[in-house]
Amino acid sequence: VTFTGSDACEAAGIAGLGITSPSTIYKNQTFEQLFQHEVANNEGKIASAEYGETFTVDTGKFTGRSPKDKWIVKNIGSDSDANIDWGKVNQPTTPEVFDELYEKAVKHFNSLDKAYVFDGFCGANPKSQRKIRFVHEMAWQQHFVTNMFIRANDPSDLEGFEPDFTVINACSQVDEDWERHGLNSEVAVVFNIEKKCAVIFGTWYGGENKKGIFSLMNYWLPMENPPQFPMHCSANVGKEGDSALFFGLSGTGKTTLSADP
């Protein structure tokens, strides 16, 4: 769906975030449509592959996630404050830092003429499935999440869609005030569980979109009733309907194997 005009953001469901200026919103585009946008936007190069033309991108200096730049807002007295194991992995930051970065992300998107929005789902089990919304400035990042997350089978599945969590990815921008904010660099991937929102700055790596939501599922699932145990793996289904789980460290091929038809 493409929304145009002064009410495009309202129609796409992102005006409530404060993003109101873009006059064109491309929402839940098909792979072919996104491919055309990637080419038109000159976001990368076309490679000839065995299965046809494939779009390739350069993610800059980050060819993987930047774990030292990932932060979770420590909302004092909240459920997440009590339940998260704070430390070097789950690094805390303040609500004030998040609010500044959130405003910066919104201001950036309000300087654009167009944006991309994806509404989809994380988790195959309907009982624990979460509704996720991504707001991107790059078509290829939208392509990435369209492939990684569960798409609606029918447009009616998205009627009245209210996301459980929203990611605003302002990857082209950096946090110039990172030292004042107490962060480790101008790259910032910051999640606020209570506000159901995250912002991304300074990294073009697409995996930040995926792994950020997976981290949230690792937080949510053990608190389900009954509790569920998340695993760092992927799955595939064989010709006979049998399942296989792929375990391994980051970059060893789990996602690739799970997507192999």
Side-chain angles (χ1 to χ4, degrees), residues 69-73 93-94 97-99 101 165-166 168 175 183 187-193 197-201:
D69 295 307
K70 184 176 179 180
W71 304 84
I72 303 173
V73 176
T93 188
T94 67
V97 167
F98 177 83
D99 289 344
L101 292 175
F165 206 87
T166 298
I168 304 175
D175 179 15
L183 306 184
V187 176
V189 182
V190 187
F191 285 74
N192 192 325
I193 293 176
C197 189
V199 292
I200 297 176
F201 288 90

Side-chain angles (χ1 to χ4, degrees), residues 56-112:
T56 65
V57 296
D58 185 344
T59 60
K61 64 179 180 180
F62 292 104
T63 56
R65 291 185 302 108
S66 184
K68 291 184 178 181
D69 295 307
K70 184 176 179 180
W71 304 84
I72 303 173
V73 176
K74 188 176 179 68
N75 292 304
I76 302 299
S78 67
D79 287 343
S80 65
D81 179 22
N83 292 325
I84 288 178
D85 182 18
W86 301 101
K88 292 183 179 180
V89 175
N90 299 312
Q91 302 180 114
T93 188
T94 67
E96 291 76 20
V97 167
F98 177 83
D99 289 344
E100 279 193 42
L101 292 175
Y102 181 90
E103 289 179 15
K104 181 179 176 69
V106 168
K107 183 178 180 180
H108 172 62
F109 273 92
N110 279 332
S111 72
L112 305 177

Side-chain angles (χ1 to χ4, degrees), residues 57-70 140-141 144 169 171 185 187-189 200-212 249-252 254-255:
V57 296
D58 185 344
T59 60
K61 64 179 180 180
F62 292 104
T63 56
R65 291 185 302 108
S66 184
K68 291 184 178 181
D69 295 307
K70 184 176 179 180
W140 80 257
Q141 295 229 351
F144 180 91
N169 192 323
C171 59
S185 79
V187 176
V189 182
I200 297 176
F201 288 90
T203 172
W204 300 80
Y205 182 65
E208 296 288 5
N209 299 281
K210 175 192 73 170
K211 198 56 182 286
L249 297 174
S250 296
T252 54
K254 297 183 298 298
T255 301

Side-chain angles (χ1 to χ4, degrees), residues 25-208:
I25 303 295
Y26 301 104
K27 187 172 184 179
N28 284 60
Q29 301 283 285
T30 66
F31 289 122
E32 180 58 35
Q33 288 171 326
L34 289 168
F35 182 85
Q36 293 171 0
H37 281 279
E38 291 159 352
V39 173
N41 297 343
N42 197 28
E43 295 180 8
K45 297 181 179 179
I46 298 175
S48 296
E50 180 182 352
Y51 298 105
E53 291 186 333
T54 302
F55 200 77
T56 65
V57 296
D58 185 344
T59 60
K61 64 179 180 180
F62 292 104
T63 56
R65 291 185 302 108
S66 184
K68 291 184 178 181
D69 295 307
K70 184 176 179 180
W71 304 84
I72 303 173
V73 176
K74 188 176 179 68
N75 292 304
I76 302 299
S78 67
D79 287 343
S80 65
D81 179 22
N83 292 325
I84 288 178
D85 182 18
W86 301 101
K88 292 183 179 180
V89 175
N90 299 312
Q91 302 180 114
T93 188
T94 67
E96 291 76 20
V97 167
F98 177 83
D99 289 344
E100 279 193 42
L101 292 175
Y102 181 90
E103 289 179 15
K104 181 179 176 69
V106 168
K107 183 178 180 180
H108 172 62
F109 273 92
N110 279 332
S111 72
L112 305 177
D113 295 325
K114 65 181 181 181
Y116 297 88
V117 175
F118 172 76
D119 285 351
F121 306 91
C122 185
N125 186 338
K127 294 182 179 179
S128 56
Q129 187 178 78
R130 294 299 195 276
K131 299 175 182 177
I132 309 297
R133 172 170 290 159
F134 288 94
V135 183
H136 288 117
E137 54 185 316
M138 308 290 290
W140 80 257
Q141 295 229 351
Q142 191 84 165
H143 195 152
F144 180 91
V145 298
T146 301
N147 183 57
M148 285 288 101
F149 291 89
I150 298 173
R151 301 181 294 278
N153 292 321
D154 187 89
S156 62
D157 294 339
L158 297 177
E159 290 181 2
F161 187 92
E162 289 293 335
D164 297 305
F165 206 87
T166 298
V167 177
I168 304 175
N169 192 323
C171 59
S172 69
Q173 306 300 295
V174 297
D175 179 15
E176 299 94 341
D177 297 317
W178 64 272
E179 291 178 293
R180 178 172 64 83
H181 288 155
L183 306 184
N184 291 325
S185 79
E186 62 184 11
V187 176
V189 182
V190 187
F191 285 74
N192 192 325
I193 293 176
E194 274 66 42
K195 287 197 172 181
K196 301 180 180 181
C197 189
V199 292
I200 297 176
F201 288 90
T203 172
W204 300 80
Y205 182 65
E208 296 288 5

